[in-house]
Amino acid sequence: MPEAVWIARLKRFADTGAWPEGNRPAPKQKRWHELYQRIEKCPMQSRSQSLFGTVKSCTCGFHSQKQSSTTPQPSAVAPAQAQPASAAQTTGPQASAAQMMAAQAHQETRPEASAVPAAAQVPAVGAEGHKKRPPLNLFMFNRPRFGGKPGAAARPNLALARRQTETQGIEGQSSVSSAPVSTASSAPPQPQTEAPVAVPVVTAAAVSGESGASQLLSPPSAPQLPRLWAEGLPAEDHAWMVKALFKMGATGKLELQDHLKLWYYPPQPSNLYHQAPSPSRFFAHALLVWMPYRLWKVKVVCPNASCGGRQLTGAGLHKRARRVMDVDRIYNMVTETLICKKCKASHVSWSQAVLQQLDLGHRAEFRVIMTQKYACDVRVIRLLRERGLGNSPTRVLKQLWENHTEQWLQRVALYTGNCVAFLQRPGLLPVTFPEPPERAAVPSCRWLLSVYSQDILTRLDDIKANITSTYGSILKMDSTKKITNKLAGTAKGTALWLTSVGNEYGQILMSVLTAQEGSGLDQMAHDLVRRYAQAGVDPPVALYVDCGCCAEAETTKLQARFSGWPDLVVRLDIWHFMRRIALACTTNAHQLYPAFMAQLSACIFEWDAGDLALLRQAKAQQLQIQGIFSADVDRHLTREERALHCRRRTRGEDTTIRLLEELFTTLRGPRGKDSLGVPLFDVERLDEIWRVQRKHVKCIQDPPGVALYCKTGELTKGFVRLPVLRCARGSTSLESFHLHLNRFIPGTSANSLNFQLYLLEGLHRWNQDRRIAALATEPSGLCCYSGNLLHSVNQNYQQLFGRKLVPEFCPPSQYTGELIGLQYLFRQTGQPLQDMNPDSEETAQLIEEHDAVADQEEDEGFSDFTKDPTARATTSSTQAPDTTSFMQARGTTSSTLASGMSSSTLSPAMSSMLSPANSSTLAPATSSTLAPGTPFSMLAPNVDPGDASDEDETVAVDDQNMPGYQHVDRLAEYLVGLRDQTSFCLTNLQARQIIELWENLDERDKQRVVYAARHQDRLLSGRFRTPKRPSKTPGVESATRCVLGASSAPAQWPDCCRLVENIFVRLCALHPCPKRKGKGAVSRWSLILSDYHKIRTLVLSNARVMEGTDIQIVEVNQTTLIQWHNNRQKRQELSVLLQGTALPPVVSVSEEPLQEARVLPAEPVPAQQEHQYYLPENTEGQATQRPTPHPILPKGTTKRQLFVVPPTAAAATAVSAAEATAAPASIVPQVITQAGQPVVFFQYVLPDTSGATQKRPYRRTVQANTCKKCGQFRTAETGHSQFRGRVYCPSFEALTRQQWLEEMRKSK
């Protein structure tokens, strides 16, 4: 090795304290080993030097010296021999080393000089040669330089290589190259002068001040991220991403690591901090490395058809990094660029051209939706997909805002907490901490809607196929105008109607926007008929509409429109028919209007006798369990219960006309006037309406032989098993869908493309929810609307385990090409269809155009519970709910009540729509007690009028014909009489009289009042119908609101028992009007409640009365009092108005049993031509990648490698020439005997592959080169020529070709 290299290594070892590279000098290298030992033993090299800069002298001559302003000290050896002139001219440690080597050489020639110690022959360096240590600062005390126990923190770790300053490096290199070392000199030695030795000059900034210390001790500059990556990513992510992703290549440039991962997570904060915390550990973000070609070696081909499926190859990293918004944080994403070698087109790995070629498993790893500027995680968009209650973009944005803010604040709290704890520890210098980075801003609502539209575009084919794969046997058609107001942009004002067609399960077959009704729907009807024919599905049997059901001609317009279904029966929706008749009423606020609508329904329908008897039995037993006694069970049956468990049918055309005319005749005269003398009907209007609508009576009759009811499950009520039925009659379900449809379009308006996307997504999810509910089997419990994912999972599961994981899923039929939504409107108006390519610029621009004002948008919601408006209640709707019930004993607990409550085994369709059986609102009734075990047949005792003479003249009954009311009246009269006494206590005589009157009551009236549940298990209206954390126990939320919201106990209605109601009847008679008091007046209700509360206080404060009776005087407030009084007045007024009026019964029973209800299918019917899901195969590991480049080695002679094989004694002597020739040509065995032991050496000669490498043949892809001036081929046929790189073009040159060539040769 050259001497200059050894000198440079020794110099660097002295400066840094660590050997730079290569092996240290061996002992056999005496000269260099001795110099190495001197440097090791030098005081300035020792690790025991003082931390505070004690001056030490250099004894080796290799340490950097600094000129001192003090007087230089004399040399340690004055009579030293003079050095050669060439060595004396050098400076610094190189001069010292040259002097030492010259002295050693001189000692070898002069034996007398060997007695002088070696240290004495080297000029000693005094105080001026010591390098001044820089002042202390915080950067010296870091973990890499100070390790071990806390007690050793004051000892610097000098084994760590120090950074060499720029001045030292430059001067050291120059001195090594310009000062050759001479070990022997022909000139005689000269005495050494006392002049100071020259040392390298170090700038003041490098050795003095805090800046110089930080520069001297700071680590070398770290590699930087690519420029555009660094601009797009936060600064706190740069350092750890460089270490995780890159490595230093052979050329000195950054290269990607060999084994990459999909996700990289930043280093987390330390548990304990011995140095100042840095915010980069607390606020760094995760990294998604989306490089499918490099990670999994998937095979991706060029999407250009002219390339013939050529594989895309890697072209390095994409120049930009993206930030992705997640549910509660932001993460970074980088990707790669792929290029086609044939067409030279480049594709980013996150583009749709690459993603669509990945199999479903690898494609699911990319959960990012890209937009022009930002990127969004798909988990954010899942919050927007369900267009349900309160699920507006504003709500989602506020939730994201809260999640990101809370996550960021938690990081800030952790960072500042560690900084404060570190600041409280003792330290040498004050410490300042950098502020945390700013929180990343959450985009706006418009951006969320844009990303939502991008998500829909990726699933557009599956959505259309599912919509056009819906069928039904009973169809409904209806139109609405509400949603057309949300259409904005160029299509605003062009749509007048949105028409939808549904089936008996509530699914939507088609929904289109039209410029007109009638003939504008011909194309839609034709497409529906063609859909049924192509799928081989039986045509529907009935169609319910709201107009156009019949005509004077034999064939109506609807029948002509659906001419492909000749057996289709068109029927009019009955609720529309009833509303047409109701227009004859003067006002819907008439007292007789509710009774008229109930009678109108009774004239059209009749109930199945068996179903109604079963429901009455179940309701009677439920009332027995709840302790409610009533002679009329039908009074407690709600219309929801009858519609849910009973079938009904129309009476027939003749019977319906007769009953309706009788009803009109009865109520059109004096019997149809209310208490103010206002008639119910406008007679002239009624006659005209009935004249027009009479012909439609035949249109509302049920189609013969068509089963309109479907059994969806069963429910237990009062220990009786009741069927749960769904009726397909009418178009009520479509009207409910139109209420939902307005919420499918978020915001206040949307342009044509976004409107279409939102409409398709809403229809798809609506149909999927009801498709699962239309099956009798229990669902798998999985909720997914992605058809390709479900299809792929079912295929793999079927192949592996012999069954489907999601059996209720069936692939849809192929998309029939029908026009849906706005496409149908554009076909009518002549506008061009929208481009829905996800990668097109026009689509991206339209998606980001939103006219919705995000700040003013309200939360949205709707109810999925629809009532049958034709099923009218048996009594007036103004009645208050019956809130209490009588129980047969005191010790009855809630568990006893729960034993008779309903438990259901419903189908998925009804399990989410039905409330428990005990949640129905009970009609108010003045009830009596119920003895335990009393059969229902004894609840209403029949009193023969002929036996009235045998009864006592004092016996009285109430309004429900319940006996024993005279005893209740006597006790109430006595209690009301106590209100006038001034004392607030009862005497013993008064207490004894109350007890005696109590004992005279019937047993039914003595039973304690048990309050029935008044809460609703399911709120049927309102924007927010369920609490955030609903309790499993019913009514807990109601009890909480009641107790926390009022200062007293929950109030009851006065009709909770006959005694309390009689008290209030008497008090109302005593206080008919307000009472003047001073300048003001006391209301009537305050006077009544004041007297009642005094009676209640007298009874409750007397121990004899409370112990001797079970009397219960409940709490009543002004609200419940007013409600009870008003409802009682209305019931009495209605009974007076209907007194003597002969009306048909509200609940009429059919004489013949109705047709049995259909049963839901167990599994979906597979399609004849299934939709083909594009599921690419897994090409992991099939991509052909370029080999990893190896470092280029210099050419040289081939070295032979020797492999030592110690053979056995027999093998050593058995080596012969024949074996040598039998060995491979590249392996030559040799036998060498050393010290009596034979050793076989095999010389392996690397094969020469220089001649085997053949040049790749050149294949021309074009016929000839093209001239850049004229664009023609550069050939002799076109007159072109060239001379030494210069091209002659006849179209642009004035000279001929020969003349041009001569000129070119002359100018050579």
Side-chain angles (χ1 to χ4, degrees), residues 21 45 48 212 358 437 577 618 654 763 765 802 806 809 918 938:
E21 68 271 353
Q45 188 75 5
S48 61
L358 301 181
F577 175 80
D654 298 337
L763 292 175
R765 298 179 73 90
V806 190
F809 173 76
N918 60 345
M938 299 177 60

Side-chain angles (χ1 to χ4, degrees), residues 896-1101:
T896 307
L897 292 173
S899 62
M901 295 299 168
S902 61
S903 60
S904 60
T905 57
L906 301 179
S907 69
M910 304 305 298
S911 60
S912 61
M913 299 176 59
L914 298 180
S915 59
N918 60 345
S919 64
S920 59
T921 304
L922 302 177
T926 305
S927 307
S928 181
T929 57
L930 179 66
T934 304
F936 182 74
S937 59
M938 299 177 60
L939 292 181
N942 296 326
V943 180
D944 190 359
D947 298 336
S949 57
D950 299 336
E951 298 291 338
D952 192 7
E953 295 180 357
T954 58
V955 174
V957 295
D958 59 0
D959 57 353
Q960 289 191 351
N961 199 23
M962 299 300 301
Y965 193 67
Q966 70 279 4
H967 303 298
V968 176
D969 185 69
R970 292 170 186 169
L971 178 58
E973 181 183 7
Y974 185 82
L975 292 177
V976 171
L978 298 176
R979 66 182 179 86
D980 295 330
Q981 69 177 21
T982 57
S983 175
F984 279 89
C985 61
L986 295 176
T987 63
N988 293 338
L989 177 61
Q990 291 174 336
R992 186 165 56 252
Q993 290 178 355
I994 292 176
I995 295 175
E996 291 178 358
L997 292 174
W998 171 265
E999 294 294 338
N1000 294 333
L1001 294 177
D1002 291 346
E1003 292 298 327
R1004 300 186 184 91
D1005 295 327
K1006 291 181 180 180
Q1007 302 297 332
R1008 73 183 300 269
V1009 177
V1010 178
Y1011 308 109
R1014 286 184 290 169
H1015 65 276
Q1016 289 181 318
D1017 292 339
R1018 176 179 180 178
L1019 297 178
L1020 305 180
S1021 61
R1023 296 169 61 188
F1024 304 99
R1025 299 177 298 173
T1026 56
K1028 294 182 178 179
R1029 296 180 180 178
S1031 175
K1032 296 182 179 180
T1033 305
V1036 172
E1037 292 81 9
S1038 300
T1040 303
R1041 289 194 297 266
C1042 181
V1043 173
L1044 298 180
S1047 58
S1048 60
Q1052 307 294 329
W1053 278 275
D1055 60 352
C1056 60
C1057 65
R1058 297 201 293 181
L1059 176 60
V1060 176
E1061 186 176 22
N1062 193 286
I1063 293 175
F1064 274 99
V1065 170
R1066 290 180 173 273
L1067 291 177
C1068 289
L1070 292 175
H1071 302 285
C1073 60
K1075 183 179 180 180
R1076 180 171 295 276
K1077 185 177 182 180
K1079 295 183 179 181
V1082 181
S1083 65
R1084 174 190 183 190
W1085 315 114
S1086 298
L1087 296 174
I1088 295 174
L1089 289 176
S1090 177
D1091 292 345
Y1092 176 76
H1093 288 156
K1094 184 175 182 180
I1095 297 172
R1096 186 170 183 265
T1097 303
L1098 291 173
V1099 173
L1100 297 181
S1101 60

Side-chain angles (χ1 to χ4, degrees), residues 1125-1145:
H1125 180 269
N1126 295 338
N1127 293 333
R1128 183 171 179 269
Q1129 290 292 106
K1130 291 178 181 179
R1131 289 198 306 270
Q1132 291 179 350
E1133 187 68 20
L1134 182 61
S1135 62
V1136 171
L1137 292 176
L1138 295 179
Q1139 186 68 22
T1141 303
L1143 296 176

Side-chain angles (χ1 to χ4, degrees), residues 625-676:
I625 296 173
Q626 295 180 357
I628 299 177
F629 175 77
S630 179
D632 189 8
V633 181
D634 290 345
R635 194 166 181 265
H636 295 275
L637 289 177
T638 61
R639 62 177 181 177
E640 290 81 10
E641 289 179 323
R642 290 199 304 270
L644 190 64
H645 303 296
C646 300
R647 293 166 294 164
R648 60 176 178 169
R649 66 180 179 187
T650 54
R651 293 177 176 269
E653 182 180 0
D654 298 337
T655 306
T656 303
I657 293 176
R658 177 177 56 82
L659 293 176
L660 288 177
E661 290 179 348
E662 292 178 358
L663 178 63
F664 299 153
T665 304
T666 303
L667 297 178
R668 69 187 301 168
R671 296 182 181 273
K673 296 182 179 181
D674 61 358
S675 57
L676 297 178

Side-chain angles (χ1 to χ4, degrees), residues 575 706 1172:
W575 176 237
V706 178
Q1172 299 299 324

Side-chain angles (χ1 to χ4, degrees), residues 1267 1270 1272 1275 1278-1281 1288-1295 1297:
C1267 179
C1270 63
Q1272 299 180 358
T1275 59
T1278 58
H1280 288 74
S1281 181
Y1288 169 79
C1289 180
S1291 301
F1292 290 85
E1293 295 290 344
L1295 303 176
R1297 184 170 61 177

Side-chain angles (χ1 to χ4, degrees), residues 131 205 211 435 560 576 607 609 682 773 825 833 877 927 1038 1080 1126 1169:
K131 185 177 72 171
S211 60
E435 292 187 3
H576 282 83
W607 298 89
D682 185 341
L825 176 66
L833 298 179
S877 61
S927 307
S1038 300
N1126 295 338
Q1169 298 179 356

Side-chain angles (χ1 to χ4, degrees), residues 441-463:
V442 178
S444 62
C445 287
R446 297 184 180 182
W447 181 79
L448 283 178
L449 294 177
S450 302
V451 181
Y452 179 43
S453 301
Q454 288 279 10
D455 174 58
I456 300 174
L457 279 176
T458 59
R459 300 177 283 110
L460 201 58
D461 295 337
D462 181 35
I463 290 175

